[in-house]
């Protein structure tokens, strides 16, 4: 029997993953208390339905029962049943955005802040993440990409895709990018804000891009930054990092950082990387 345990952060896509498993002809069960794992597996073996592939979603909704997870897994392993763990993760910013879009509180902190609940959940799930056989970061994945990722690792035996990269522009006057892994300050480039005919445009507009990329130092910076990233990315991947967040900051997050973030993302995509682009502050002026 193939036995897959799906777990991970609330909001990271476990429900969608279970639907994918159903499409792969797995018998699926959502939110089973971990203490009942051995009983459930035994029932599957005794079933007349000839169940040979099982996927279970277990997460912090189980409350106090979550402490029984490893005991239950050891018990089924002691019965000669092998299992795999799929851990779904996402960046804090992505999880917060998903909660706000659905207007839902975090299950661990229903009356408080979402980020406090996320931090507590990460702490609770730290050990199970370490033991996971597969880790998928869903921050930048569509449902179709998630299906492809799961198909690759479960049906084709491939490793999860290379690291996902998020390139985010921001303005330092609105605060730095708190979850950025690498922060680049592009305020050394002359500011289009002080050019009256450019002030009301953004780094997405051609006239601003022409101004920003008209300076030799801009193109040298991008070239050197790409060289550094192409050196770092394989090493981050080797160490198990699943997402890299790049912050490109200027003063207001409207002109220089937007243009440069788009250019860096464009080059990384052309180089075969999985990239998402985000402009945090360009609408805040």
């Amino acid at each position: 029997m193939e036995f897959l345990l799906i777990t991970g952060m609330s909001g990271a896509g476990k429900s969608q993953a279970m639907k994918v498993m159903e499409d792969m002809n797995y018998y699926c069960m959502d939110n089973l208390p971990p203490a009942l794992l051995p009983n459930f597996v035994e029932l599957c073996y005794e079933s007349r339905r000839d169940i040979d592939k099982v996927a279970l979603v277990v997460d912090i909704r189980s409350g106090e029962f979550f402490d029984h997870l490893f005991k239950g897994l050891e018990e089924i392993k002691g019965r000669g049943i092998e299992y795999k763990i799929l851990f779904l993760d996402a960046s804090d910013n992505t999880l917060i955005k998903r909660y706000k879009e659905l207007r839902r509180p975090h299950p661990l902190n229903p009356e408080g802040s979402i980020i406090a609940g996320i931090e507590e959940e990460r702490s609770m799930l730290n050990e199970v993440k370490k033991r996971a056989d597969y880790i998928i970061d869903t921050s930048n994945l569509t449902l179709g990409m998630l299906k492809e990722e799961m198909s690759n690792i479960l049906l084709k035996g491939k490793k999860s895709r290379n690291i996902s990269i998020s390139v985010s522009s921001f303005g330092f006057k609105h605060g730095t990018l708190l979850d950025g892994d690498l922060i680049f300050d592009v305020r050394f480039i002359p500011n289009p804000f002080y050019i009256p005919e450019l002030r009301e445009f953004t780094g997405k507009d051609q006239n601003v891009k022409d101004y920003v990329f008209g300076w030799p130092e801009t193109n040298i910076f991008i070239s050197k930054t790409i060289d550094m990233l192409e050196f770092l990315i394989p090493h981050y991947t080797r160490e198990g990092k699943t997402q890299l967040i790049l912050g490109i900051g200027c003063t207001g997050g409207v002109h220089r950082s937007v243009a440069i973030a788009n250019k860096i993302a464009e080059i990384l995509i052309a180089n075969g990387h999985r990239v998402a682009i985000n402009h945090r502050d360009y609408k805040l002026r």
Side-chain angles (χ1 to χ4, degrees):
M1 176 185 291
E2 292 184 36
F3 183 76
L4 180 70
L5 180 75
I6 302 173
T7 188
M9 296 296 294
S10 302
K14 296 185 294 296
S15 297
Q16 289 82 356
M18 188 172 68
K19 293 176 182 177
V20 173
M21 301 311 299
E22 289 175 343
D23 291 340
M24 294 182 183
N25 297 317
Y26 278 72
Y27 179 77
C28 298
M29 173 69 71
D30 186 24
N31 198 24
L32 182 76
L36 299 180
L37 276 173
N39 306 73
F40 177 77
V41 173
E42 194 66 34
L43 287 172
C44 290
Y45 266 106
E46 296 174 356
S47 171
R48 296 180 180 179
R49 294 179 55 185
D50 193 25
I51 299 173
D52 59 354
K53 296 193 296 184
V54 177
L56 290 177
V57 174
V58 177
D59 56 30
I60 52 93
R61 288 175 296 170
S62 299
E64 62 184 84
F65 300 112
F66 198 78
D67 296 334
H68 298 291
L69 175 61
F70 296 123
K71 181 179 178 182
L73 290 174
E74 288 302 315
E75 187 172 338
I76 65 172
K77 188 173 183 180
R79 299 182 185 181
I81 302 168
E82 295 297 324
Y83 63 86
K84 299 289 186 181
I85 299 176
L86 169 63
F87 190 97
L88 298 180
D89 202 354
S91 69
D92 289 356
N93 277 354
T94 299
L95 295 174
I96 291 171
K97 181 180 178 182
R98 290 173 182 173
Y99 273 108
K100 288 186 175 180
E101 286 176 347
L102 296 174
R103 298 182 179 180
R104 291 176 53 199
H106 192 280
L108 290 180
N109 197 15
E111 303 298 328
S113 72
I114 295 173
I115 188 63
I118 291 173
E119 290 172 353
E120 182 180 353
E121 185 177 21
R122 285 201 185 281
S123 177
M124 290 176 61
L125 297 178
N126 184 53
E127 186 59 33
V128 71
K129 184 176 181 180
K130 289 180 181 178
R131 300 194 190 190
D133 298 279
Y134 315 110
I135 299 175
I136 298 178
D137 190 309
T138 67
S139 301
N140 303 313
L141 298 185
T142 63
L143 180 57
M145 293 167 69
L146 177 62
K147 288 181 178 179
E148 181 184 351
E149 193 94 343
M150 294 179 66
S151 175
N152 282 337
I153 63 176
L154 296 173
L155 299 182
K156 302 177 183 178
K158 296 180 181 180
K159 291 185 178 179
S160 184
R161 287 189 199 196
N162 291 336
I163 192 170
S164 66
I165 302 169
S166 176
V167 183
S168 180
S169 69
F170 70 95
F172 280 101
K173 76 176 185 179
H174 303 296
T176 191
L177 193 69
L178 295 179
D179 61 347
D181 296 301
L182 298 172
I183 302 294
F184 297 95
D185 185 347
V186 298
R187 288 176 292 184
F188 65 90
I189 298 166
N191 193 348
F193 177 83
Y194 296 109
I195 309 299
E197 57 268 31
L198 298 179
R199 182 174 299 173
E200 297 305 314
F201 291 91
T202 77
K204 292 185 176 184
D205 296 303
Q206 190 61 48
N207 53 355
V208 173
K209 289 191 286 186
D210 290 342
Y211 180 86
V212 171
F213 295 115
W215 299 92
E217 53 264 42
T218 304
N219 299 289
I220 294 171
F221 166 78
I222 289 175
S223 177
K224 290 183 178 294
T225 299
I226 292 294
D227 284 345
M228 182 183 69
L229 291 173
E230 292 293 0
F231 167 77
L232 291 173
I233 288 168
H235 295 285
Y236 281 134
T237 303
R238 184 188 63 196
E239 293 301 310
K241 191 171 180 62
T242 58
Q243 185 186 41
L244 179 65
I245 300 177
L246 309 178
I248 312 295
C250 64
T251 303
V254 174
H255 300 99
R256 294 165 292 181
S257 62
V258 172
I260 292 171
N262 280 342
K263 187 64 175 179
I264 289 174
E266 176 187 320
I267 295 172
L268 289 173
I269 291 171
N271 290 351
H273 298 289
R274 179 155 52 96
V275 181
I277 183 72
N278 175 54
H279 299 298
R280 194 191 72 180
D281 299 327
Y282 84 106
K283 292 183 179 180
L284 298 180
R285 57 181 172 172

